[in-house]
Amino acid sequence: MAEKRKGRVLIVDDEKGIRQALKMVLQEDYEVILAASGAEAVDAFTQNAFDIVLLDILLPDSNGLDLLKTFKETDPNTAVVMVTAVKEIKTAVQAIKAGAYEYIIKPFVVDDLLAVLDRAQEKKKLLQQVSYLKHELQRYHLFEKMIGKDPKMTEVFDLIATVASSDGAVLIQGESGTGKELVARAIHHLSSRKDQPFVVINCAAIPASLMESEIFGHQKGAFTGAVSSVMGKFEVADGGTVFLDDIDCLEVSMQAKLLRVIQEKEFERVGSNKVLKADIRFVAACNKEMQTLIQEGRFREDLFYRLNVFPIKLPPLRERRIDIPLLLEHFLDCHAQRTGKPAKRFSDEALAQLTAYQWPGNVRELQNLVERLFTITKSDVIGVENLFGLSIAGKQLHDMTLREAVNDFEKDFITQVLARVRGNRKKAAEILGIHRNTLLAKINELGIEA
Ligand SMILES: Nc1ncnc2c1ncn2[C@@H]1O[C@H](COP(=O)(O)OP(=O)(O)OP(=O)(O)O)[C@@H](O)[C@H]1O
Ligand SMILES: [Mg+2]
């Protein structure tokens, strides 16, 4: 049998005789550390983790109740057992209300003491397990919703965890639908601010004329129509996280005001001189190349640097293809669960074809497509026949020459056919009705991945 770890006990008592006696009794079963005063106790507590503290109520330099509070704040799982004389029982009861585990009355019977400590250690272990599980549960919920096995995504997950433990601003860059908002929420929920508000400000959707009042709030009578005072989003977010979505759409004049809030943590409501303070963690997102906007004078460089303390880049879905089948199946399950309908699955060929697709709308496009397929497919297996015409129908048109468009189409089409025949070029050439050498040339020319 593996040897059980000895519990660590801190004995806090100003009487040397009692400290020594307790040590004698406990040292066989516990690792014992002694403190003769409140100051010594706090010192020991910051240097070591304790399972149990045996705490005298009356100390020359401090009060046992205050110490109890300090210990509970530092490590809420430590079990504190108050040691008390009969005449201090009232205080001991108060201590229990303040979170002490138990009290024992001096002079004590050794067996009673050992029994109390045994239970205290058991309880500490349980508490520790509960807080660990709570933590895991939270992670599970978050990352359960966020699918990704591609190394590019696991890197992003690691970054989220790191960033969550700090308070610096975060700038998330990625194409539309890559999961920027999901990442912002994950950061908030893993941070110490998780019990405070997560407030979204959509810079693209709010008209510039309303933005200032939306963010800062306004005083009654500040402008026509301001019939009452209104709290702005920054006030609402105090202590929490503000997610500035599509930050590139923020007007230059508002950029200056935002910069001031980030630097000085101060602002005023529109129409008021009263300086307000808010403790906010900023997370911003954009789907454009910020450097270009800065060069064009459309985004303040100083604001960019303030926001870009922690940059997170979300790769487009086509650059993490191994995640595509995972996401497809994930959303299929989600949809079945939500609607209470029997589960469906994709045929291998359908999965291959969808994996080869370019996904210009990224995860959001994929999610919508899965919903559509789930609804319209009668059979419980979604096959290639159900995908007919999909890649072309779903394609976003952007400025390109005919030659580029044809190349784009050819590349997509050949990739899909190759996926369907699992890379067998002879078969693919047959299906495409071209010579094998022509296919090889096109694979090279168009940069099609094997
Ligand atoms: N890795 C992922 N795992 C599971 N679901 C995801 C993942 N990434 C994104 N999603 C889902 O895809 C949808 C789009 O994500 P989100 O809204 O975060 O994208 P976005 O980058 O903010 O897009 P936009 O730029 O258009 O605002 C959401 O429903 C989100 O839950
Ligand atoms: Mg978004």
Side-chain angles (χ1 to χ4, degrees):
M1 206 171 87
E3 205 185 326
K4 216 172 95 185
R5 181 187 75 89
K6 272 191 179 180
R8 192 182 290 141
V9 181
L10 175 65
I11 294 170
V12 191
D13 204 304
D14 57 326
E15 271 179 68
K16 192 169 177 203
I18 295 198
R19 285 199 304 275
Q20 297 302 348
L22 283 169
K23 187 173 179 177
M24 287 268 287
V25 174
L26 298 178
Q27 66 189 1
E28 195 175 320
D29 299 318
Y30 295 92
E31 182 189 336
V32 178
I33 291 175
L34 303 176
S37 65
E40 273 185 37
V42 172
D43 220 34
F45 205 82
T46 42
Q47 285 173 28
N48 295 288
F50 288 97
D51 299 287
I52 304 168
V53 179
L54 271 178
L55 180 58
D56 190 13
I57 288 188
L58 277 181
L59 290 164
D61 66 337
S62 44
N63 167 333
L65 282 179
D66 292 340
L67 275 180
L68 167 68
K69 201 165 153 245
T70 312
F71 294 157
K72 283 276 143 192
E73 276 166 11
T74 317
D75 183 355
N77 293 343
T78 298
V80 179
V81 176
M82 308 303 287
V83 180
T84 170
V86 177
K87 60 179 190 298
E88 298 150 6
I89 283 206
K90 249 174 127 175
T91 322
V93 172
Q94 244 177 306
I96 299 281
K97 284 189 185 143
Y101 171 65
E102 182 68 279
Y103 63 84
I104 50 173
I105 299 169
K106 286 191 273 196
F108 35 73
V109 178
V110 169
D111 282 347
D112 289 351
L113 173 70
L114 288 175
V116 167
L117 292 201
D118 217 29
R119 286 202 305 271
Q121 202 183 3
E122 207 47 45
K123 162 138 191 233
K124 144 100 193 196
K125 219 167 25 195
L126 279 175
L127 279 176
Q128 231 165 3
Q129 279 169 350
V130 169
S131 53
Y132 170 77
L133 286 176
K134 265 192 190 158
H135 179 77
E136 278 303 295
L137 198 65
Q138 208 174 24
R139 275 186 71 90
Y140 176 73
H141 275 311
L142 275 167
F143 290 116
E144 170 210 35
K145 277 192 271 173
M146 234 177 139
I147 307 289
K149 283 232 155 62
D150 188 288
K152 290 196 192 80
M153 284 312 282
T154 46
E155 225 171 87
V156 169
F157 296 156
D158 287 346
L159 207 53
I160 291 174
T162 311
V163 159
S165 64
S166 120
D167 230 10
V170 184
L171 182 62
I172 309 166
Q173 282 184 272
E175 288 182 13
S176 180
T178 44
K180 297 185 291 297
E181 183 158 346
L182 206 57
V183 168
R185 286 181 190 278
I187 291 171
H188 174 73
H189 285 288
L190 286 172
S191 78
S192 58
R193 297 170 176 266
K194 64 176 189 301
D195 297 323
Q196 304 298 322
F198 177 83
V199 175
V200 180
I201 298 175
N202 191 330
C203 305
I206 303 168
S209 58
L210 298 182
M211 189 54 115
E212 192 170 0
S213 145
E214 173 89 10
I215 291 185
F216 300 119
H218 62 253
Q219 210 56 28
K220 181 176 174 179
F223 45 83
T224 328
V227 288
S228 59
S229 295
V230 170
M231 214 185 194
K233 290 211 160 159
F234 282 4
E235 270 178 83
V236 174
D238 191 18
T241 305
V242 163
F243 176 50
L244 297 159
D245 202 4
D246 290 317
I247 185 79
D248 50 286
C249 296
L250 196 66
E251 262 209 344
V252 175
S253 68
M254 280 306 297
Q255 290 174 22
K257 289 179 179 157
L258 176 62
L259 186 67
R260 180 183 157 219
V261 182
I262 295 178
Q263 282 173 339
E264 289 159 33
K265 307 191 182 326
E266 289 183 354
F267 57 92
E268 294 97 23
R269 285 184 181 173
V270 178
S272 157
N273 295 325
K274 192 173 158 214
V275 177
L276 301 172
K277 286 195 175 290
D279 166 28
I280 295 170
R281 203 269 169 93
F282 287 99
V283 179
C286 69
N287 57 20
K288 299 205 180 67
E289 200 38 71
M290 291 300 274
Q291 228 52 50
T292 323
L293 298 176
I294 293 169
Q295 274 155 23
E296 290 168 354
R298 290 197 286 147
F299 203 87
R300 291 181 67 121
E301 192 169 17
D302 45 7
L303 179 59
F304 169 75
Y305 285 116
R306 283 283 174 178
L307 292 172
N308 202 39
V309 179
F310 292 109
I312 297 185
K313 287 219 190 293
L314 277 177
L317 196 51
R318 63 184 168 280
E319 286 175 17
R320 40 173 157 131
R321 289 197 194 271
I322 62 163
D323 288 349
I324 295 174
L326 302 179
L327 284 161
L328 287 165
E329 271 157 9
H330 165 71
F331 288 125
L332 210 52
D333 287 347
C334 287
H335 200 66
Q337 264 180 26
R338 214 174 36 240
T339 55
K341 293 189 176 143
K344 290 188 200 277
R345 59 178 192 83
F346 287 101
S347 73
D348 289 352
E349 289 75 17
L351 277 182
Q353 191 161 333
L354 289 168
T355 304
Y357 174 52
Q358 286 297 97
W359 299 110
N362 296 295
V363 185
R364 180 175 298 107
E365 182 187 3
L366 183 147
Q367 187 179 5
N368 292 339
L369 182 90
V370 170
E371 271 195 45
R372 210 160 73 218
L373 286 171
F374 189 96
T375 314
I376 60 174
T377 308
K378 300 267 185 307
S379 125
D380 56 2
V381 178
I382 303 172
V384 265
E385 63 283 3
N386 301 107
L387 310 180
F388 187 71
L390 223 55
S391 67
I392 302 144
K395 193 134 193 131
Q396 278 174 353
L397 291 178
H398 41 93
D399 293 342
M400 52 166 82
T401 63
L402 181 62
R403 187 65 253 161
E404 283 165 349
V406 170
N407 281 348
D408 223 40
F409 174 80
E410 275 194 354
K411 184 174 175 179
D412 249 28
F413 196 70
I414 295 173
T415 308
Q416 284 181 38
V417 171
L418 276 168
R420 245 168 84 187
V421 297
R422 295 171 196 243
N424 184 329
R425 291 175 181 178
K426 185 162 166 267
K427 255 196 188 154
E430 270 168 34
I431 295 174
L432 292 165
I434 54 177
H435 192 272
R436 236 181 112 205
N437 289 342
T438 316
L439 176 61
L440 282 179
K442 288 214 178 275
I443 288 173
N444 285 331
E445 183 193 337
L446 299 169
I448 293 170
E449 288 162 36

